[in-house]
Amino acid sequence: FVAGKRKATEVAHAVWRSIVQRGDTVVDATCGNGNDTFALLKMVSDDTGRGRVYGMDIQDSAIDSTASFLKMAVDSREMELVELFAMCHSRMEDIVPKDSPVRLVAFNLGYLPGGDKTIITVPETTELALQAASRIVSSGGLISVLVYIGHLGGRDELDIVESFASSLPADAWVSCKFEMINRPVAPVLVLLHKK
Ligand code: SAM
């Protein structure tokens, strides 16, 4: 996963690609500027119109930014595979259809790059969202959490994510963590794989 990759996001995308298949349903829990939503859309879309990306962000401006980016970057056929919602990710179960097995729920925590740095993911709702994600992700699926530890509150958020990861029963989940140990404040990638 790591060969040639300098950024934790690139490592995360490589991991996603190893799990996500064309036609899958996936969730982007933190759309931001839409880079992850775009990457996920390219992983799930196929010629038959299957594949769905449910994206959410607490900020209207992030949803607008994601929608603008996608409109420029993908065709109308692929655009139809994406649904975007301005809402807290702790409520993801309200929008993902119950009969859709979810292969991946992706979190890219922190604040919107280029946006208001005071609007940031917080441990309380992150924990609720992780619980929701663990209920909707299918067997063989993955919850991927990228945690930025360089900003204020980032380490507290990592504590919550790690505590949730370690609470998952080992017979049903593999919880692991990817850290760049020669870059101590680089984002940490926590991966929760449902058996
Ligand atoms: N994935 C994005 C991309 O590719 O550009 C980057 C995401 S950015 C690091 C984190 C995002 O989480 C911000 O856009 C922020 O508005 C959003 N966010 C903060 N709290 C949230 C919440 N409770 N529910 C959903 N999104 C939230």
Side-chain angles (χ1 to χ4, degrees):
F1 293 128
V2 292
K5 297 184 178 58
R6 291 175 50 247
K7 289 180 167 179
T9 45
E10 293 173 334
V11 176
H13 288 193
V15 173
W16 301 352
R17 263 192 291 278
S18 74
I19 301 261
V20 174
Q21 296 165 20
R22 302 213 169 274
D24 278 351
T25 294
V26 296
V27 173
D28 183 351
T30 49
C31 286
N33 291 318
N35 301 295
D36 293 326
T37 320
F38 171 74
L40 288 168
L41 179 57
K42 287 294 172 188
M43 290 177 211
V44 302
S45 76
D46 71 6
D47 294 339
T48 65
R50 296 177 311 142
R52 289 286 178 277
V53 182
Y54 293 93
M56 62 209 76
D57 198 291
I58 196 97
Q59 298 189 67
D60 290 335
S61 59
I63 293 300
D64 292 345
S65 170
T66 296
S68 310
F69 173 42
L70 293 179
K71 271 181 200 139
M72 281 195 322
V74 307
D75 60 26
S76 55
R77 182 188 54 85
E78 283 187 315
M79 201 67 202
E80 282 178 18
L81 308 181
V82 186
E83 288 193 48
L84 300 174
F85 300 86
M87 58 178 268
C88 177
H89 44 211
S90 59
R91 292 178 35 233
M92 66 178 77
E93 286 160 297
D94 295 351
I95 53 155
V96 180
K98 303 261 178 295
D99 57 353
S100 296
V102 174
R103 186 85 68 182
L104 172 74
V105 182
F107 293 84
N108 189 334
L109 300 177
Y111 52 80
L112 178 67
D116 182 347
K117 291 188 178 166
T118 63
I119 303 177
I120 189 164
T121 53
V122 290
E124 294 73 21
T125 44
T126 298
E127 187 175 22
L128 290 173
L130 287 170
Q131 289 166 355
S134 70
R135 289 189 290 268
I136 65 170
V137 81
S138 60
S139 179
L142 182 75
I143 303 173
S144 165
V145 195
L146 201 54
V147 192
Y148 294 82
I149 53 176
H151 62 70
L152 198 65
R155 297 240 174 225
D156 294 339
E157 196 150 52
L158 181 61
D159 283 348
I160 287 288
V161 174
E162 287 191 6
S163 146
F164 178 78
S166 54
S167 75
L168 291 169
D171 57 348
W173 292 86
V174 176
S175 299
C176 60
K177 178 168 80 164
F178 175 91
E179 283 179 305
M180 293 191 179
I181 54 178
N182 58 348
R183 289 181 52 209
V185 291
V188 174
L189 179 61
V190 176
L191 298 168
L192 313 173
H193 188 244
K194 194 170 190 174
K195 291 185 185 172

